Amino acid sequence: MKKKTLIASGLFVLFSTYSYGETLKLGHIYDVSHPWHKSAEEAARRISEETEGRVDIKLFPSGSLGSEQELLEQVIVGGVDIVEVGSGQIGNIFKPITITEMPYIFRDNDHLMTFFESDIAKKIFNDFHEKYNAYILGSSTWGVRHVIGNKPIKSPADLDGFKLRVPEQAITVAYAKAMGSSPTPVPYSEAYLAMRQNMVDGLENPLGSIKSKKFYEVGKNLSLTGHVITAVHYVVNDSSLSKLSTQDKKTVIDVFNSMGRFTEKLVNAEDEVAVDFFKAQGVNVVEVDRDAFKEKTKYMSEDYRDHWSEYGDLYTEISKM
């Protein structure tokens, strides 16, 4: 009887010392070869290591948990713990973040990252947290957006009547229209088929996504418009984190916050080799008159300034960074 008591006591100590692990679901719409999936894999690895296995991040790529819009809705209500979602999608419900979707506002990926590391960006993210009970963490670039389609686009005039596939995001529809195209919202998972069946004339995506989704198979003209540097963020449900110990919650937040520059490096590395890859696939790479596109879209910063006016003249402040 005494032996059984000692065993029971030992088991009590064992289970008191080691807590059961928590699994957090992370969903996104990208292919497993995409830099943002690789970023999620690295975040999951770091969190498992730093929490000694107490927190397991389970990945659900390629839209297996829903579209970008559905993922954002789910992370806010708590159906999914963590998602990767772009500024354009967040901007549908939280307008200030649309500043990052203004055409030609950022010079390059590093400029975008400099903004994300600024106090004003942190204030915007904190306000989102207060309103939606979710953290915006690890913000980074998705890449520079270009147009790929059935004909070369050298100037805004070439987009006249051009059915340009865009995400189901108000700000993306707006800048596509400002560029001179006929924006046609199509879910990301259906974009390839829409191009192949000529439902649209082309689409606009960063180089890494054009490669990973094989859009170059159905569009043989890549026009380097570079019109928007798209931002993507990890959005983490606060209630999901409340299941964790104080230490593990801090670890999760810290790790995802640290992923911004890591993801930027992955995107940059992909972009450096992408153009040569496309040329090898027989894609016609077209240099465009970017000044004409900048002139065509410059009014948007004035038309949309009310979206972020509570934070000051962000457009001017960002240009000075």
Side-chain angles (χ1 to χ4, degrees), residues 8 14 24 30 35 44 79 89 95 112 114 268 293:
L14 177 65
L24 301 179
Y30 310 121
Q89 198 65 58
K95 291 182 178 180
L112 174 69
T114 298
N268 286 341
F293 281 103

Side-chain angles (χ1 to χ4, degrees), residues 188-261:
Y188 191 60
S189 60
E190 300 172 18
Y192 183 98
L193 185 61
M195 285 185 65
R196 191 175 72 181
Q197 295 184 344
N198 297 315
M199 295 169 58
V200 295
D201 298 311
L203 55 80
E204 45 89 54
N205 255 201
L207 298 179
S209 297
I210 292 171
K211 182 180 177 182
S212 68
K213 294 293 286 185
K214 299 184 177 181
F215 293 135
Y216 58 86
E217 294 180 345
V218 287
K220 288 300 183 180
N221 294 279
L222 173 62
S223 302
L224 301 177
T225 51
H227 49 281
V228 167
I229 300 180
T230 289
V232 173
H233 318 264
Y234 287 105
V235 182
V236 184
N237 181 275
D238 199 3
S239 297
S240 296
L241 295 184
S242 68
K243 299 183 293 185
L244 309 179
S245 69
T246 301
Q247 176 187 344
D248 288 349
K249 177 178 178 179
K250 182 179 185 301
T251 296
V252 171
I253 291 173
D254 289 347
V255 167
F256 278 113
N257 257 335
S258 73
M259 297 310 296
R261 287 289 183 178

Side-chain angles (χ1 to χ4, degrees), residues 296-310:
K296 184 80 171 176
T297 57
K298 67 179 184 180
Y299 73 88
M300 286 189 65
S301 62
E302 187 63 30
D303 281 4
Y304 281 82
R305 66 184 304 174
D306 287 348
H307 282 42
W308 56 77
S309 59
E310 63 184 289

Side-chain angles (χ1 to χ4, degrees), residues 174-194:
Y175 72 61
K177 186 175 182 180
M179 290 169 65
S181 75
S182 298
T184 307
V186 175
Y188 191 60
S189 60
E190 300 172 18
Y192 183 98
L193 185 61

Side-chain angles (χ1 to χ4, degrees), residues 5-240:
T5 302
L6 288 172
I7 292 172
S9 299
L11 289 172
F12 177 78
V13 171
L14 177 65
F15 288 115
S16 298
T17 304
Y18 298 100
S19 60
Y20 291 102
E22 290 286 351
T23 297
L24 301 179
K25 294 189 294 184
L26 189 160
H28 64 74
I29 62 173
Y30 310 121
D31 182 85
V32 294
S33 65
H34 195 278
W36 270 90
H37 179 74
K38 295 175 183 177
S39 171
E41 287 181 318
E42 176 63 14
R45 184 195 67 78
R46 292 184 188 182
I47 288 169
S48 178
E49 182 179 281
E50 294 184 25
T51 64
E52 299 181 329
R54 292 187 300 275
V55 181
D56 175 46
I57 308 295
K58 187 173 182 180
L59 307 183
F60 295 85
S62 304
S64 56
L65 295 182
S67 66
E68 195 174 35
Q69 176 179 331
E70 291 166 337
L71 288 171
L72 181 59
E73 292 170 353
Q74 289 180 76
V75 79
I76 288 173
V77 301
V80 179
D81 305 300
I82 308 161
V83 301
E84 295 173 356
V85 64
S87 286
Q89 198 65 58
I90 295 174
N92 282 350
I93 62 170
F94 186 68
K95 291 182 178 180
I97 207 165
T98 56
I99 183 66
T100 65
E101 292 288 294
M102 289 294 104
Y104 302 105
I105 187 172
F106 295 107
R107 296 182 294 274
D108 50 31
N109 286 332
D110 184 66
H111 188 195
L112 174 69
M113 296 304 299
T114 298
F115 169 66
F116 283 147
E117 292 161 358
S118 69
D119 290 339
I120 189 63
K122 292 172 185 175
K123 175 69 166 63
I124 293 172
F125 297 161
N126 285 338
D127 288 348
F128 177 86
H129 177 252
E130 288 295 318
K131 187 169 184 178
Y132 292 105
N133 190 39
Y135 293 94
I136 291 178
L137 302 171
S139 301
S140 192
T141 177
W142 191 46
V144 184
R145 299 182 87 102
H146 306 285
V147 175
I148 187 165
N150 59 17
K151 74 172 187 176
I153 304 297
K154 295 183 178 181
S155 71
D158 294 327
L159 283 175
D160 185 28
F162 189 91
K163 292 180 291 183
L164 185 66
R165 178 269 164 188
V166 294
E168 299 168 292
Q169 303 165 2
I171 193 64
T172 314
V173 170
Y175 72 61
K177 186 175 182 180
M179 290 169 65
S181 75
S182 298
T184 307
V186 175
Y188 191 60
S189 60
E190 300 172 18
Y192 183 98
L193 185 61
M195 285 185 65
R196 191 175 72 181
Q197 295 184 344
N198 297 315
M199 295 169 58
V200 295
D201 298 311
L203 55 80
E204 45 89 54
N205 255 201
L207 298 179
S209 297
I210 292 171
K211 182 180 177 182
S212 68
K213 294 293 286 185
K214 299 184 177 181
F215 293 135
Y216 58 86
E217 294 180 345
V218 287
K220 288 300 183 180
N221 294 279
L222 173 62
S223 302
L224 301 177
T225 51
H227 49 281
V228 167
I229 300 180
T230 289
V232 173
H233 318 264
Y234 287 105
V235 182
V236 184
N237 181 275
D238 199 3
S239 297
S240 296

